[in-house]
Amino acid sequence: KQEVTQIPAALSVPEGENLVLNCSFTDSAIYNLQWFRQDPGKGLTSLLLIQSSQREQTSGRLNASLDKSSGRSTLYIAASQPGDSATYLCAVRPETGANNLFFGTGTRLTVIP
Amino acid sequence: DTAVSQTPKYLVTQMGNDKSIKCEQNLGHDTMYWYKQDSKKFLKIMFSYNNKELIINETVPNRFSPKSPDKAHLNLHINSLELGDSAVYFCASSQAFSFTSTDTQYFGPGTRLTVL
């Protein structure tokens, strides 16, 4: 059974710092991995999607990497801003079967002005 | 325009009641989903629907039943509500059930259900 873990559970950084969020998964047979952002009281917004054949994806100040064989992904946020404060969730889709996403428990990020 | 919408946003009800949460997507997607986020923020899939057919039915109580009047709607019905049903329920949709290169799921804002 796929299990997704995110470390740390919470992170506080001063504005302007670069930071890395970690995600690990137990079953490497994945089709893709996604990073989502969740703001308090709101739904999830997809940030980056990495196919299993890819090593990384970039969008603006965000860079996500994927090491499928070791079951790890990182989300790198450059020059953090207070507006980046949110909970970040990673989710993996299994290689076979339906479009089912297994979510981690998230990392709550606070960027201090 | 909101891509995936849910109503109500908040739902407070007594134990034993029957309630429904509505979901609509205007993206023209073929597949819709329901997720439950518990108090520990863990998000777990409950159901997915494709072309009016239930594709995934995780080990959720049969008190929960998804109903899809058309491709753009997937409503969640809950009978005989229990305290443990309190959670945030998210609806989502994606282009297709089959594997594609751009099969991102788009999520609604969530419905916070509180059972007293």
Side-chain angles (χ1 to χ4, degrees):
Chain A
K1 180 182 178 183
Q2 180 71 269
E3 292 185 2
V4 183
T5 306
Q6 291 185 245
I7 295 174
L11 179 65
S12 291
V13 299
E15 182 177 1
E17 268 201 11
N18 303 326
L19 59 101
V20 175
L21 306 180
N22 297 293
C23 173
S24 60
F25 45 96
T26 55
D27 187 349
S28 62
I30 66 169
Y31 181 67
N32 60 39
L33 181 145
Q34 276 187 264
W35 282 93
F36 290 87
R37 168 183 174 143
Q38 184 177 22
D39 293 284
K42 296 187 178 180
L44 283 74
T45 301
S46 179
L47 299 173
L48 290 165
L49 184 151
I50 311 176
Q51 299 295 342
S52 61
S53 58
Q54 297 175 324
R55 298 286 293 182
E56 65 177 342
Q57 282 285 337
T58 298
S59 176
R61 293 182 295 107
L62 306 179
N63 177 277
S65 68
L66 173 64
D67 186 341
K68 182 182 171 182
S69 60
S70 67
R72 295 179 181 176
S73 175
T74 62
L75 179 66
Y76 174 83
I77 303 177
S80 59
Q81 302 171 358
D84 295 332
S85 297
T87 296
Y88 290 81
L89 296 158
C90 72
V92 298
R93 176 177 166 180
E95 208 167 64
T96 58
N99 186 359
N100 191 359
L101 295 180
F102 291 87
F103 281 85
T105 50
T107 295
R108 188 174 69 252
L109 173 66
T110 302
V111 180
I112 305 167
Chain B
D1 289 340
T2 303
V4 182
S5 60
Q6 295 178 227
T7 54
K9 188 173 183 178
Y10 300 96
L11 181 56
V12 181
T13 187
Q14 297 289 331
M15 197 167 50
N17 285 348
D18 302 336
K19 290 294 179 183
S20 295
I21 305 173
K22 295 184 178 181
C23 177
E24 177 182 2
Q25 55 94 4
N26 61 8
L27 298 168
H29 286 167
D30 289 331
T31 308
M32 297 182 70
Y33 313 82
W34 277 104
Y35 290 84
K36 177 181 180 181
Q37 187 175 41
D38 60 25
S39 58
K40 295 183 179 180
K41 305 298 184 183
F42 186 64
L43 205 69
K44 184 176 181 180
I45 192 166
M46 300 177 70
F47 303 105
S48 69
Y49 245 72
N50 178 278
N51 294 327
K52 298 189 177 183
E53 180 180 357
L54 182 65
I55 301 299
I56 300 173
N57 189 346
E58 295 294 320
T59 55
V60 297
N62 57 15
R63 297 181 295 103
F64 290 79
S65 58
K67 288 183 171 55
S68 180
D70 54 59
K71 196 174 81 166
H73 296 83
L74 183 65
N75 303 325
L76 182 63
H77 296 264
I78 315 170
N79 295 326
S80 302
L81 278 157
E82 300 178 356
L83 295 177
D85 297 333
S86 296
V88 180
Y89 293 85
F90 287 97
C91 176
S93 70
S94 66
Q95 179 61 46
F97 175 74
S98 60
F99 292 110
T100 66
S101 62
T102 55
D103 57 355
T104 301
Q105 291 187 20
Y106 294 83
F107 284 77
T111 296
R112 182 175 294 278
L113 171 65
T114 303
V115 182
L116 303 176

